[in-house]
Amino acid sequence: LLPEAEIVNGWPQNLEWDPKTQADHPEARLLGERQLAFLDEWATDWSDGTWMKVLLSQTLFSNVATIPDEAMSGAVIPSLPTPEPGEYPPGQKIVSDLDSNGWPQTGRNRAIATIRKGFAVHLSGDQHLGSTVQYGVDDWRDAGYALCVPSVANFWPRRWFPPYPGANRDPDAPPYTGDYEDGFGNKVTVYAVGNPVRSGREPAALHDRAPGYGIARFNRESREVSLAVWPRWADPSSGEGPLPGWPVTFHQEDSDGRRATGYLPYLEITGMERPVVRVVEEATGEVVYAIRVAAGTLLPRAYGPGPYTVIVGEPGSGDEQEFTGMQGTPVPGDTLRVEFD
């Protein structure tokens, strides 16, 4: 599909070819239509008491990787020197490795926008580099969080040392965190990365290549999510902590970071514990998002003028209430009391 890129083993060799504008080929597919239809149904199906959505896939929907400026591919990765603790290698560039789910960009964005409907967290691996990021589609941080776990024995120690600090990062965080465009122009916010570093542990050929594992925790009551990467040698039961920068914690609803254009009536729901709320755009019949609320309240957000239908209750039980013709208001206003017997 991309002959002008002169790709060798996933790496473009033509320096005149721009992956940000030329990799998004109209015939390239990341997920097929059946997969996208499945994801859309899955993201909005909260039956059988489902209270959290987690997407598992082979690899990350962004390309969090750098190599030296003079390198033309990742073939140099195994031979790169391992940094000392606190060292930041100079002369690195953000790359477009086609061995990633960062392209085609249209397919990547469709996948992320679909799973965002269910406030889903994404768990993946395959990149050999532990990382926690938040996806962006139209803007940074407008979609879900992802944990990419490292290899437990890492023979391909990818790394993330971008040549400039990320935007809007925590001032106390490492310079490789914050808002970035990856090599394909995808918006991605990097919160934590487990780069290779000299560990002082033997055998160094194993431990200096950032091997480890991930732990994801989901709190049913608070709906808080905690993502962390741990070094291979760490035993969490001994009181040891994860790698620096972790855990990254957030609320379930943070996995839909779109900026609301307005608000639907505040829902006060009685007579049913943890009901499901679905918001449907009436013009298209599309579910905008769906979630099982932890308590009996929710302030639904609007992402356009509407009108919307709001469906409250337990899917599949016949015990649901539907409210049509609902319009968003610029600021939270009315309260809608939904009562179940």
Side-chain angles (χ1 to χ4, degrees), residues 156-330:
W156 202 264
R158 286 191 176 96
R159 53 197 65 200
W160 176 249
F161 291 113
Y164 50 86
N168 303 309
R169 66 184 179 89
D170 185 324
D172 296 326
Y176 52 73
T177 62
D179 297 340
Y180 286 95
E181 283 190 355
D182 71 7
F184 295 101
N186 299 310
K187 293 176 173 61
V188 58
T189 301
V190 178
Y191 291 107
V193 169
N195 281 312
V197 65
R198 292 193 181 276
S199 65
R201 295 178 178 267
E202 295 295 336
L206 172 65
H207 293 301
D208 288 359
R209 294 186 170 202
Y213 55 93
I215 296 179
R217 300 179 185 272
F218 305 89
N219 188 301
R220 183 188 296 266
E221 299 303 320
S222 70
R223 301 296 172 86
E224 282 202 342
V225 181
S226 173
L227 306 178
V229 168
W230 296 70
R232 177 188 168 112
W233 59 79
D235 177 2
S237 66
S238 69
E240 291 182 270
L243 288 172
W246 280 286
V248 174
T249 60
F250 53 93
H251 191 271
Q252 178 183 26
E253 292 183 34
D254 295 335
S255 280
D256 183 350
R258 287 175 287 179
R259 188 170 299 174
T261 60
Y263 300 90
L264 303 179
Y266 183 76
L267 300 178
E268 287 187 356
I269 308 162
T270 57
M272 179 180 290
E273 289 189 4
R274 299 183 176 88
V276 172
V277 175
R278 286 178 286 159
V279 176
V280 181
E281 186 177 43
E282 293 183 2
T284 63
E286 180 180 355
V287 178
V288 182
Y289 56 88
I291 191 169
R292 183 178 295 278
V293 298
T297 60
L298 181 71
L299 178 61
R301 292 171 288 185
Y303 301 113
Y308 296 93
T309 293
V310 176
I311 304 169
V312 183
E314 184 59 44
S317 69
D319 198 8
E320 291 184 300
Q321 297 186 36
E322 186 173 303
F323 305 90
T324 61
M326 306 189 75
Q327 302 282 352
T329 57

Side-chain angles (χ1 to χ4, degrees), residues 6 14 29 34 46 52-53 69 95 131 133 138 145-146 195 208 210-211 213 222 233 243 247 262 279 292 311 317:
E6 301 173 8
N14 180 2
R29 298 285 182 270
R34 290 175 61 202
W46 292 78
M52 186 74 73
K53 294 283 184 180
D69 285 336
V95 293
S131 63
V133 306
D138 299 308
Y145 286 75
N195 281 312
D208 288 359
Y213 55 93
S222 70
W233 59 79
L243 288 172
V279 176
R292 183 178 295 278
I311 304 169
S317 69

